[in-house]
Amino acid sequence: MAEIQPAPSELATCSAVLTLELNAPEVAVPAPLAREAAARLAGLVAADLERIVGGIARFTLVVPGALYDQTEVMRPGFPLVRALEAVFHGTVREAGFVPQLIALGCDDGRAFTLAALNPERRPGAGPLLMLPLVLAGPRTEIDALALELEDTLLTRGAASAATRAEAERAFGLPMRHLSYATLGDLCALLQVQLEQAGFAGLWQLLEHAFLGREGACDVRLPAGNRFIFAQGAVHTPFWTFDDWAQAGPGHALDGEALVAAYLEWQRTQRQYCMGLEAYALPVRVALAPEAIDATPAMLARLQLAQALTGDYLVETVERAEEAGAEARLAITHQFDEGLGTLAYTVAAYAADGRRLGLEHHYPLTARGPNAIAEALTARAAEHNVIHPAAVLHSPHGRCLDPAIEATPAVRH
């Protein structure tokens, strides 16, 4: 009597990850493996899972012969896992459900046919790389397997010596420890890491996005930063020093405390934006609207506010009505040792010495300081840059100040 095949609607998947702790803090992520090497490694992975939980032959196991940075695996909706599921569903459409081991490799240095599986191979990855995998089969059996994996892998999920040796040989990387984990395990570990490092708010945003939770996630931080995740993106207001000190989060602070507090706001803003972008959460930075506490109102204002694009923002403080041609720029490099470049304060002068305008140029990206320098160099033939020993501001006026041109310079 022929065995009855489960219908596609009766099939389900669960996932796990082989984590590879390297002996180097940063590495160049290797290219995907050729088909034969991928098949050898996938066979050892299947043997590991059989030893740890048993019954693996009842399921289809999909294993890519590639390594990924943690931020590639941990993304909203877990797209790498979804891509592996798509590979499985493609086999079901062609032949029905047949338990099998599917090892994905690339011959002749080519990329995966499914583009979503190609590792980004960004420089400076490590010391933890990951190999995701998917198990598929009848829903009731997969549900039981998923529970067993959650209960088992974190405590008994060490990979075999044979798997470690093959991974080292195939990828050409020295490895310290290999073990299996679920996505739930990885989320829990990431939460602990971020909270211990003082980034509990970042974890709230990531968790909301990873798990596709409904509604907005509104994170407000002690330094005055605000991040609202909604509709697939994180919205955050950007405050210049002057606006921050006069109407924004720093408006109630004493004038002498403004610089230290704003530097903390900027440091936190940069750290959160870098963290969010690393995990592929789109960040929309907008000019700060009026301060509103209610989440729906603030979100609506941020969505309507001008989005900041490009490498830097120019804040015009003053501009002469009949400015005329600029003959010289006096540039104050507003710099902090812990933060780097905060802004460039630019005073423009006519040939007769009249000041034509005052601006603050704020970097918005890592390339921002260089982009500002290039633009200012091209703007006027004569320019001088002053590097004061501290961020210059007026406590009474609650604004950034240009340096007096006789100010002693400190080169950075």
Side-chain angles (χ1 to χ4, degrees):
M1 183 175 179
E3 183 178 351
I4 299 176
Q5 292 278 351
S9 61
E10 297 172 339
L11 297 172
T13 63
C14 66
S15 61
V17 175
L18 175 60
T19 64
L20 304 93
E21 184 181 355
L22 309 180
N23 274 328
E26 294 184 357
V27 298
V29 178
L33 302 179
R35 296 178 192 274
E36 289 186 4
R40 285 194 300 270
L41 183 58
L44 291 167
V45 168
D48 283 345
L49 295 176
E50 180 65 32
R51 170 177 51 83
I52 295 168
V53 295
I56 294 301
R58 296 175 295 153
F59 305 104
T60 287
L61 172 60
V62 186
V63 182
L67 298 182
Y68 305 87
D69 184 79
Q70 173 177 306
T71 59
E72 294 179 79
V73 176
M74 306 289 288
R75 290 187 173 178
F78 304 107
L80 276 174
V81 171
R82 302 288 89 82
L84 294 175
E85 290 175 343
V87 171
F88 161 70
H89 289 301
T91 66
V92 173
R93 284 194 297 270
E94 293 175 1
F97 175 67
V98 178
Q100 59 184 308
L101 175 60
I102 302 175
L104 304 174
C106 303
D107 289 334
D108 301 324
R110 297 176 182 174
F112 285 117
T113 303
L114 186 58
L117 289 176
N118 290 313
E120 294 178 1
R121 305 183 64 193
R122 291 175 292 185
L128 191 68
L129 296 179
M130 299 183 177
L131 188 155
L133 55 98
V134 158
L135 291 141
R139 184 175 302 278
T140 54
E141 296 182 35
I142 282 291
D143 289 345
L145 176 62
L147 290 174
E148 189 171 4
L149 293 175
E150 291 287 355
D151 291 340
T152 304
L153 291 188
L154 201 59
T155 55
R156 296 196 293 112
S160 67
T163 301
R164 172 177 171 173
E166 179 61 28
E168 286 186 322
R169 189 193 66 78
F171 291 112
L173 296 174
M175 299 178 185
R176 180 177 301 168
H177 182 68
L178 279 71
S179 61
Y180 296 90
T182 65
L183 291 176
D185 294 332
L186 295 182
C187 284
L189 291 172
L190 181 59
Q191 178 181 3
V192 170
Q193 291 169 355
L194 291 176
E195 289 179 350
Q196 288 181 345
F199 294 101
L202 179 57
W203 168 248
Q204 292 176 37
L205 295 163
L206 291 176
E207 181 187 36
H208 202 83
F210 288 165
L211 303 182
R213 290 183 172 164
E214 295 182 1
C217 178
D218 185 11
V219 171
R220 311 181 197 196
L221 302 175
N225 311 78
R226 190 162 182 183
F227 298 88
I228 304 176
F229 179 84
Q231 300 172 357
V234 177
H235 303 264
T236 182
F238 181 89
W239 297 92
T240 65
F241 179 91
D242 294 15
D243 287 345
W244 185 89
Q246 295 169 25
H251 75 279
L253 294 177
D254 181 78
E256 298 295 340
L258 289 174
V259 167
Y262 184 72
L263 288 173
E264 178 61 22
W265 181 88
Q266 271 277 14
R267 188 176 300 109
T268 302
Q269 192 76 5
R270 293 182 185 183
Q271 289 170 333
Y272 267 67
C273 286
M274 287 177 60
L276 292 166
E277 290 168 354
Y279 287 94
L281 269 72
V283 179
R284 185 181 187 275
V285 182
L287 283 173
E290 300 174 21
I292 299 174
D293 288 334
T295 300
M298 185 63 171
L299 176 59
R301 289 292 183 95
L302 284 174
Q303 290 173 325
L304 291 173
Q306 176 188 347
L308 299 182
T309 58
D311 292 314
Y312 61 94
L313 164 71
V314 179
E315 178 186 37
T316 301
V317 179
E318 63 180 58
R319 175 62 58 182
E321 290 186 7
E322 297 181 3
E326 296 177 344
R328 181 172 63 88
L329 300 179
I331 304 167
T332 303
H333 186 195
Q334 307 279 13
F335 181 89
D336 174 73
E337 288 289 346
L339 180 73
T341 298
L342 172 65
Y344 287 93
T345 296
V346 181
Y349 294 91
D352 60 7
R354 290 181 301 114
R355 192 163 91 175
L356 302 178
L358 182 67
E359 303 162 350
H360 303 306
H361 294 232
Y362 288 87
L364 299 176
T365 67
R367 178 174 143 56
N370 287 337
I372 294 170
E374 292 168 4
L376 294 178
T377 300
R379 179 167 151 184
E382 183 182 349
H383 56 274
N384 61 304
V385 183
I386 303 170
H387 299 266
V391 173
L392 300 185
H393 79 298
S394 166
H396 175 71
R398 307 177 77 83
C399 58
L400 289 182
D401 267 353
I404 299 172
E405 294 190 55
T407 299
V410 176
R411 293 289 169 184
H412 303 300

